[in-house]
Every structure is written in C-alpha cells, then in structure tokens.
Amino acid sequence: MVALRGLTVVPDMIIHFDLSRDMSKKAVQRSLNENQKIFLVAQRDEKEEKSTIDTLFHIGTIANIKQVTKLPNNIERVMVEGTCRARLAEVRENENEYFTAVIEEIDEEQNEIDEVQEEALKRSLREVFSTYVRFYPKVGKSVGKYFEEENPLRFLLNQVLINTPFSYEKKQEILETEDLGEQCEALVSLIMNEAQIAAIRTQLAVKVKEKIDKNQKDYILREQLEYIQDELGGDNKSSEAAQFEEAVEKLKAGDEVKEKIRKEITRFKKIVNSSSESAVERGYIETLLDLPWDKASRDNNDIERAEEILARDHYGLEKVKERIIEYLAVRSLTHKGDTPILCLVGPPGTGKTSIAKSIAEALRKKYVRICLGGVRDEAEIRGHRRTYVGAMPGRIAAGLRQAGVCNPLMLLDEIDKVSSDYKGDTQSALLEVLDPEQNCHFRDHYVELPLDLSKVLFIATANDAGNIPRPLLDRMDIIEVSSYTANEKFHIAKEHLWKKQLERNGLKASQLTVSDNAMRGIIANYTREAGVRSLERKLGTVCRKAALEILRSKVQKEKCIKVDIKRLEKYLGKPRYNTDVANEKDDVGIVRGLAWTSVGGDTLEIEVNVMSGKGEVELTGKLGDVMKESAKTGLSYIRSIAPKYHITPEFFQENDFHIHIPEGAVPKDGPSAGITMATAVLSAVTDTPVRAKVAMTGEVTLRGRVLAIGGLKEKLLAAKMAGITTVLVPKENEKDVDEIAGEIKAGMEICFVETMDEVIEKAFVTNRRKANGNKKRKS
C-alpha cells in the first residue's frame, strides 16, 4: 500500500506521481519484485506524515505499476494504471518498514443498472459535459471522443473524473459512492456547479479586461494630450480641476457652499472628458463659482449726491425719489436697514424703467434688468432641475451671477404681464422672491443651495396693479407714477429728450433749435399719451429732417435751423390731434365728462335725445357693461325725482331715450360717468341747458349719492387742457385733490359734491330754463 497526499487515483487512470517517503519507495520495490500490484489510497490530511487507518480514506484503487524512474534528490517517479476500486479493511506495518493492507475488492457487477436508465444517465452526463467544455476546451478534446463511441457509463464516469481538474476531495467523494446511478448524479451536479462558476469567472474577466483596456486607453490619451500641451506651450499645472480648486479657495462663501463645490469637483475628476455628463458637471461648478455668495459692493450713503443724480436724470417722480432718499437716510443712521421692495405702477412711457437705472447709479449698485413680460414657466424664476437636458439656473440666480455682487438693484420689469400655464404659476414663484421674511433662503432648483436675496434692492414695474395677484401686491411698496402734465412734458423734452436726440442724430445745439412754442405745439397737437415716448419720436423726426436739410444745403452747413410753431407742419406734417375744448355756448342734453385711459386723461361729451316712443332706452358708443348699468342707474334716479320737476310718470312710457358718447370706435367702460349721464338725461327731459365750462366725474347711486372714482389727476389734467373752468368731483376724493400739483389745479374751480342735487345745482343754467319747459314735458 502507498498513501497518497493530495491525489486520488480512479480506475482506468494512467498517471505518474513522485515518491519521497522511504516507506512508499520500499512498498513499490516489493510490489515490483512480486506481482506489480499496489493499493493506492489518499490521505485525509495531506500534511499528515504518519499513515494509519484513521488518517486514510476507506476506498482506494488497485493499480498495476508500469514504470519506475529514479530522479535526483532521492525521488522516484512511478507510473501506474488503475484497475478497480477496493475497500480498506486493515493497515499493517511490517518489519521491513513499508505498509501492507488488507483490502476487499468492490464487485462492480452488483451495482449495474438497466439499459434505459444507463442511457438516460449517459445523455444527461453528455449534455452537462458539453456545457462544461465550453469553458475548458482542452478537457473536451481528450474526453469528447469517448462520448462519441459506445462506451459503458462506468467507463465514461472514470474518464471524466480522470480528465477534469477537480480537487482530490471531490474525486474521492465520487469514488466512495458505491451505487453507479448515485455516482453519475454526483458527478453531473459537480460538473454543473463548476460550469456556472466558470461562466461567472468568464464574465468578470471580460468586464475587467474591458475596464483595463479603457483605462489604459484613457491613460495613453491623457499622456499624449499633456505632451501636445507641452509642445504648444500649455500650462499643465492649471488643469480644469486645479483651476476650480484654486477658485474655491479664493471664493467668498460659507463652509456649506465650499464643501458642496469641493464634492462636485471630486466628482468631476472621475468623469471621463468625452462624456456629456462632464460638460454638465463643468457648467454646474462654473455657475456655483460665479455666484456672489458673500461678495457685496459698497453702497453710496451720500444723500446729497443721490438727490443730485436723481434730479439730473428725471423730472418729476417725486414719490419715487423721496422713498429712495428715505431708505438712504435710514441706512445711514442704522448702518443696515431692510432693503425695500418697490413697485412702480403707472402708464407706459412715464420713466418707470429708466429711473431704476438712475437709482442704481445714485446708490452705486450694480444694475440688473429682468423682463417678466410673457414669462409663464415657473422654471424661469426657480430654474430647471439638473436632471433635465439643457438645465440652467432661473432668472434671479442668473441675474445675481451677471451682477457679480449679492446686493445689486434688480429691476423686475412688466411684473403685471406675467402669466401662468400647465408648467406652473410664475406669480406664485415670485412670492418667495419678494417676501423679506423668506428670500434670505431662496432655493433655485439648479443651484440646489440657498441664495440670500435679502440684500437685493428689488424694483418692479407695472402698468396695471389690478393684474397683479393680491398676495404678491401685498409684499411690495406700491408707488403710483401718474401721467405727466403738459408742463412736465415740456420740461422733460427741453432738458432731457432734445439733448439726447441731437446727440443721437449727430447734430449740435448751434445747428438746430426749437422754440418753446414749437415744443408746446408738438406736445399738444402731435402726441396724445401719458408718457413721453411718442414725444421723443417726434423730436427725433424733427432732427432727422433737419439733418437732411443741412446736408443738402452744402453752402449753408454752418447756418442754424430754427424751428418755430409755424414751421412744425414742414417737419411733422398736419397736426394729428385736436385738443378737446369746452363748448362756447351752454346746451341742452350735452354734458362734458372726464375719463381715464391707459395713455392719460380725456374728456368726453355725453349726448342725450328724447323722442316719442314706447319708453325704450338706447345706449350707443361702444359702452361696456358697467357703463351701461351706470346709465340705467342714472335714468332710474331721474325717474324717481321726476315729480320734483313736474314730470308725469307717463312721460317715461311715451318717450324713448337715446344716450350716445361720441368716438364710437373707442371702447368705454367704468362707473365714473354716472353723474354725467344722469345730468344729461335730466337736462334733456327738463329742456334745461348745462353750463359749457363745467365738467364732472363720479359714480351715481339709485338714491342720488355721488361715490368716489380713480385717476383723478389725469382727469383734471384733461379738463385743464380742454379749457374747463369748473370741475365737479366726489367729496370722497378731496384727499386725492390735495395731493395733486398746484399747476394742474390752477385756473380751475374744483367743487366737491356728495349728492346729485348739488351736481344739478352747479351744472344747470337755471336762469335760462325755458318757462314752458315743464308744460312740454307733461304727458
């Protein structure tokens, strides 16, 4: 007997192994001298030196010794061929110091199975083995030929065991299984397990190889890129990541912001340059580095200088200037103070946008303009999340990035033109921006870090405060910017617009002059607006025509062109507008009312005719629903007081009333013409003239009370331009009249009325009422 370490020999196996122990060499020598048979059994522990029956497996193989070769270092190499299995019964150590064993040969014929089962097991073994040899093709070459021939199942089992690189423990386990079917099942299970392990190993090897190849390729390309940059004189030290890290150290920001940027830089380093994610990450890091986290500009605290700049650039707008000076005064005393959020509301062209620039210059703040007209996507304010392709920060964060400081002046232009759609409510997104209690931690979806907007001076502009939601309006200081008077337009044109147009058209003040009367004529006859945009265009037209005249008259290049009121038609054509003037004579059924429009105030004549009919009321002049209801309310009031004027009830059933407001193509609406229409109806019914120099405005109720109205400054301005001497205004608007400039009220008598009786008393020409008027109006 020879005890083998780390080796299991099976029947039909031809193998050679080396012997180094003297007892094993002597056992082989004794076998050669006798019948050349030897019993080979594996040790349970290959490190064990001494062999006993307890340290050996109980099943081994009887083999024939084929060859013995002596090798250097006293080692013998033995070639054997396994013949059959045997069970170890006893181990003996004789006097010649080698092992002999008492064995029991296993009868394989007793373990045979029927042909059908054997064929099934052979096919199963063949199928599993074909999967196995995909990963071990060398094994398939040596064993595949046996499956192609008609060989017994036991022979195939032995050949598979012989040629597969299983551990000796696994082979020994199958060798010790006596039943042939169980032996085959154990071998099939072992082969399947090894095939799965081999498949996983192959997949891992492929992935590792791909990664190694890619890393090697990237490394080679980076080395080549560095070499090219060296040849071109590039600076290897300032790679993108290094530049970002240097910028972080210089950045004025809190620890949270810096830590976030460092994490993004670390992530950026791991991203391959060729991937699209690299460009996204680069853009995000650059945005974070460009934002002015704690970088602020030093503002101006000189109140006198601020007043000088505001007065230099804009005429009027006293409320806006006063509010800014107040803000400066508070900050000068406290060295801090809350930044106001202002909203300038007024007609177009009144200087709301341009004064924001002057305020920024007066306070030495960076100026950023954000136009909100037509914006209807919430992401325009809060930014897009970085998961989207083409994501970018919102307009607020982009404005801070553009300003470069955390305390700029940010103009939110046309805030009343913001709309909403399925993508979100933009006006609701502005609530956080314009709330002093919340905007210190404003979160942009793209930036993902809180932005402090509490130091930003927000100025919003709007044409109509009614289009701004109430919660948003409540967060802002509303300052009304009303229409300019003719005198204000004259000063603005002379001091600001004319100089700008001369410079824009390449003219000198010595080459072209406009008289004061001509300037007033342009304002009165060629423009009709609340602001001065159209006026500026007309002045530009005068400058262009004068420039053409100068160039054509080469001899008189140095001659000064003087434009007076008589020459306006030459440069601007026929007057486009005629000023509505009061009627020269008092008339029946015609009353002058006052209206507010988006371009300023206007006067309108209300005409009433009474005709024989069936008591119907006709309203014309493109009137809105509110105005129609106001006319019906006034007529109902007149019917209620008819007995006072000796008018019988039948009169209203036998006559039709037609109320008309000229300029029928222009839409008109609102309740402020109520007392005007009621007065006109009563005048037509009683045949009483109304004073031509009287104009009125106010809402009427069914009981004859006069209610307050809006837009009073524009209405009074229109009355003054029309030559009105007396204006009837609701008593409740007395406080508004006190705030209107004296130059507008000059030359007019403003009467405050509370009831229609007061209106009728001041409007009617009582001494000219026809003596037979009452008789005519009786049915």
Side-chain angles (χ1 to χ4, degrees):
M1 184 194 75
V2 172
L4 302 177
R5 292 188 289 188
L7 179 64
T8 297
V9 177
V10 298
D12 301 323
M13 181 179 187
I14 298 175
I15 189 174
H16 55 76
F17 51 86
D18 296 339
L19 300 178
S20 58
R21 290 187 288 189
D22 293 337
M23 295 182 67
S24 298
K25 294 176 185 178
K26 292 178 180 179
V28 170
Q29 190 61 41
R30 176 62 186 271
S31 178
L32 285 173
N33 294 336
E34 295 184 357
N35 56 5
Q36 299 181 351
K37 291 186 178 294
I38 194 168
F39 179 67
L40 303 177
V41 63
Q43 290 185 190
R44 295 181 185 274
D45 185 1
E46 58 181 311
K47 297 179 181 179
E48 185 69 36
E49 288 294 333
K50 189 175 182 181
S51 299
T52 63
I53 193 170
D54 296 327
T55 62
L56 300 173
F57 287 104
H58 293 161
I59 302 295
T61 302
I62 300 173
N64 293 325
I65 299 176
K66 296 294 186 180
Q67 183 181 5
V68 178
T69 305
K70 294 187 179 295
L71 298 177
N73 299 324
N74 199 24
I75 294 176
E76 292 183 2
R77 178 164 294 173
V78 181
M79 178 182 290
V80 298
E81 179 182 5
T83 57
C84 61
R85 295 186 297 167
R87 185 178 290 104
L88 179 62
E90 185 181 352
V91 177
R92 298 176 183 173
E93 185 178 354
N94 61 12
E95 55 191 17
N96 294 322
E97 297 181 350
Y98 58 85
F99 287 113
T100 59
V102 178
I103 62 173
E104 178 185 350
E105 186 175 342
I106 298 175
D107 186 5
E108 303 293 357
E109 292 182 359
Q110 294 181 356
N111 299 323
E112 293 298 329
I113 57 179
D114 59 79
E115 293 181 1
V116 176
Q117 186 180 2
E118 181 177 359
E119 183 62 27
L121 291 173
K122 284 167 66 175
R123 291 184 182 182
S124 176
L125 181 61
R126 183 186 299 111
E127 182 180 348
V128 173
F129 189 72
S130 64
T131 304
Y132 178 80
V133 297
R134 294 177 190 171
F135 306 102
Y136 299 97
K138 292 182 180 180
V139 177
K141 290 180 181 179
S142 57
V143 182
K145 59 184 179 180
Y146 299 119
F147 283 100
E148 295 175 0
E149 301 171 357
E150 288 295 330
N151 291 308
L153 177 60
R154 190 178 301 281
F155 178 77
L156 291 176
L157 286 176
N158 291 337
Q159 291 302 320
V160 170
L161 276 176
I162 291 168
N163 292 279
T164 50
F166 299 149
S167 64
Y168 80 96
E169 291 97 339
K170 297 291 184 184
K171 291 183 177 181
Q172 182 68 37
E173 185 178 341
I174 294 174
L175 186 67
E176 292 187 347
T177 304
E178 296 187 7
D179 184 72
L180 180 60
E182 293 178 2
Q183 251 189 331
C184 187
E185 291 175 3
L187 182 59
V188 167
S189 176
L190 180 60
I191 293 174
M192 287 179 62
N193 186 49
E194 291 294 330
Q196 291 176 354
I197 294 173
I200 295 172
R201 286 180 58 189
T202 303
Q203 291 176 1
L204 290 175
V206 170
K207 291 180 180 179
V208 170
K209 186 176 182 301
E210 288 177 354
K211 189 173 182 180
I212 291 173
D213 292 345
K214 189 174 184 303
N215 290 339
Q216 288 177 343
K217 179 181 176 182
D218 292 344
Y219 173 76
I220 293 171
L221 290 175
R222 288 194 188 97
E223 291 294 324
Q224 291 176 346
L225 181 61
E226 290 181 5
Y227 177 76
I228 293 171
Q229 289 176 344
D230 285 341
E231 291 297 319
L232 294 175
D235 186 9
N236 289 333
K237 179 181 178 182
S238 299
S239 63
E240 283 185 317
Q243 289 176 358
F244 291 154
E245 289 172 348
E246 290 176 9
V248 172
E249 298 302 323
K250 298 177 183 177
L251 186 65
K252 290 184 178 180
D255 294 338
E256 179 186 359
V257 175
K258 289 188 176 182
E259 184 63 27
K260 171 71 172 176
I261 298 175
R262 289 191 184 101
K263 287 181 180 178
E264 295 298 330
I265 293 173
T266 304
R267 186 168 177 268
F268 174 70
K269 290 178 181 178
K270 298 177 181 179
I271 300 175
V272 181
N273 288 334
S274 59
S275 67
S276 59
E277 191 178 358
S278 176
V280 173
E281 189 66 29
R282 183 186 298 107
Y284 180 60
I285 295 172
E286 288 174 351
T287 300
L288 294 183
L289 291 173
D290 290 344
L291 284 172
W293 300 98
D294 294 334
K295 182 182 178 183
S297 61
R298 188 174 181 180
D299 295 345
N300 171 43
N301 291 326
D302 189 347
I303 294 179
E304 294 181 359
R305 180 179 180 275
E307 287 179 331
E308 179 185 344
I309 293 174
L310 293 175
R312 179 197 70 194
D313 294 342
H314 289 80
Y315 184 87
L317 302 176
E318 300 301 331
K319 289 184 178 180
V320 183
K321 296 176 182 177
E322 183 182 357
R323 183 66 181 86
I324 296 301
I325 298 303
E326 289 173 357
Y327 162 65
L328 271 180
V330 171
R331 199 176 58 181
S332 298
L333 292 175
T334 62
H335 301 290
K336 47 181 182 178
D338 294 334
T339 305
I341 298 175
L342 308 179
C343 182
L344 311 181
V345 180
T350 51
K352 301 183 298 297
T353 302
S354 60
I355 197 173
K357 276 188 177 180
S358 299
I359 293 172
E361 182 183 352
L363 301 179
R364 286 204 190 114
K365 284 182 174 288
K366 296 286 186 179
Y367 173 75
V368 178
R369 177 176 176 267
I370 299 175
C371 184
L372 297 177
V375 173
R376 59 175 182 265
D377 188 356
E378 180 192 358
E380 293 281 347
I381 305 299
R382 291 187 178 275
H384 304 80
R385 299 192 184 277
R386 284 199 292 149
T387 52
Y388 296 106
V389 176
M392 61 179 64
R395 295 198 180 192
I396 303 299
L400 285 177
R401 183 181 182 184
Q402 175 189 341
V405 291
C406 65
N407 60 339
L409 184 148
M410 197 169 288
L411 175 68
L412 304 178
D413 210 4
E414 308 293 352
I415 196 171
D416 59 326
K417 308 297 190 303
V418 174
S419 57
S420 304
D421 66 358
Y422 67 94
K423 296 179 182 177
D425 188 353
T426 311
Q427 292 175 332
S428 297
L430 286 170
L431 292 177
E432 183 182 359
V433 175
L434 299 180
D435 191 343
E437 301 298 328
Q438 300 180 35
N439 63 8
C440 55
H441 296 290
F442 173 72
R443 280 192 176 270
D444 186 277
H445 290 159
Y446 181 83
V447 177
E448 297 178 351
L449 287 169
L451 295 171
D452 186 3
L453 303 181
S454 61
K455 300 175 184 177
V456 178
L457 173 57
F458 286 104
I459 297 182
T461 67
N463 297 129
D464 186 4
N467 294 332
I468 304 175
R470 186 67 190 174
L472 185 59
L473 202 63
D474 188 55
R475 284 163 166 77
M476 300 183 287
D477 292 343
I478 306 299
I479 300 177
E480 292 188 4
V481 181
S482 55
S483 305
Y484 289 123
T485 65
N487 186 50
E488 287 175 335
K489 290 182 181 179
F490 173 77
H491 285 291
I492 292 170
K494 196 168 183 68
E495 298 173 13
H496 301 283
L497 303 182
W498 182 244
K499 296 177 183 177
K500 186 193 297 184
Q501 288 301 323
L502 285 176
E503 182 181 352
R504 186 174 294 175
N505 291 281
L507 296 172
K508 300 178 182 177
S510 60
Q511 293 177 301
L512 178 63
T513 60
V514 177
S515 66
D516 291 352
N517 287 337
M519 193 73 76
R520 296 184 190 277
I522 296 173
I523 295 170
N525 301 325
Y526 293 91
T527 63
R528 183 63 57 87
E529 58 179 345
V532 291
R533 284 202 181 108
S534 181
L535 174 59
E536 185 175 6
R537 285 193 290 270
K538 294 300 178 184
L539 294 177
T541 302
V542 172
C543 290
R544 289 193 300 274
K545 291 186 179 296
L548 180 60
E549 185 178 337
I550 290 173
L551 286 177
R552 283 178 174 173
S553 179
K554 297 181 180 179
V555 181
Q556 300 179 356
K557 263 191 177 181
E558 299 301 325
K559 184 178 179 180
C560 177
I561 297 176
K562 296 181 179 179
V563 180
D564 55 21
I565 194 166
K566 295 179 180 179
R567 301 186 67 190
L568 278 182
E569 287 192 20
K570 177 183 177 181
Y571 293 96
L572 297 176
K574 295 289 183 181
R576 294 187 59 189
Y577 303 101
N578 294 320
T579 305
D580 291 334
V581 295
N583 297 335
E584 293 297 328
K585 64 174 184 175
D586 305 334
D587 210 340
V588 174
I590 299 178
V591 183
R592 184 153 313 249
L594 301 176
W596 178 92
T597 68
S598 60
V599 294
D602 197 4
T603 64
L604 48 85
E605 283 187 337
I606 295 179
E607 302 176 347
V608 177
N609 261 354
V610 179
M611 303 155 288
S612 297
K614 300 179 181 179
E616 295 180 354
V617 179
E618 184 74 21
L619 300 170
T620 58
K622 205 170 185 180
L623 309 185
D625 292 338
V626 176
M627 202 167 195
K628 290 178 180 178
E629 292 174 359
S630 185
K632 293 176 181 177
T633 302
L635 183 59
S636 297
Y637 169 72
I638 297 303
R639 293 181 65 178
S640 69
I641 64 170
K644 180 179 177 181
Y645 293 91
H646 308 290
I647 302 171
T648 62
E650 291 79 6
F651 176 82
F652 293 97
Q653 299 173 1
E654 298 175 355
N655 293 277
D656 292 342
F657 300 87
H658 188 162
I659 301 175
H660 176 69
I661 302 178
E663 299 184 16
V666 180
K668 309 168 189 72
D669 204 359
S672 63
I675 64 172
T676 314
M677 290 187 285
T679 304
V681 170
L682 184 61
S683 171
V685 169
T686 61
D687 201 17
T688 305
V690 178
R691 299 180 190 275
K693 299 293 184 180
V694 172
M696 61 188 70
T697 180
E699 181 180 354
V700 68
T701 68
L702 281 173
R703 306 307 297 269
R705 292 182 294 118
V706 180
L707 304 183
I709 44 82
L712 192 57
K713 178 184 175 182
E714 288 79 6
K715 293 178 179 179
L716 292 179
L717 184 57
K720 184 178 180 64
M721 294 178 65
I724 301 296
T725 58
T726 304
V727 181
L728 306 184
V729 176
K731 178 73 173 176
E732 296 178 13
N733 287 108
E734 186 173 1
K735 60 183 181 302
D736 300 321
V737 175
D738 294 339
E739 296 181 358
I740 297 175
E743 66 172 301
I744 297 177
K745 297 183 288 185
M748 289 192 301
E749 180 188 1
I750 300 176
C751 301
F752 300 103
V753 294
E754 292 182 288
T755 63
M756 277 298 301
D757 291 337
E758 297 177 20
V759 174
I760 295 168
E761 180 183 350
K762 296 181 183 297
F764 279 7
V765 184
T766 54
N767 59 346
R768 290 184 56 189
R769 181 180 302 175
K770 295 182 180 180
N772 60 349
N774 294 337
K775 296 179 182 178
K776 289 184 178 181
R777 297 309 176 194
K778 291 181 181 179
S779 60

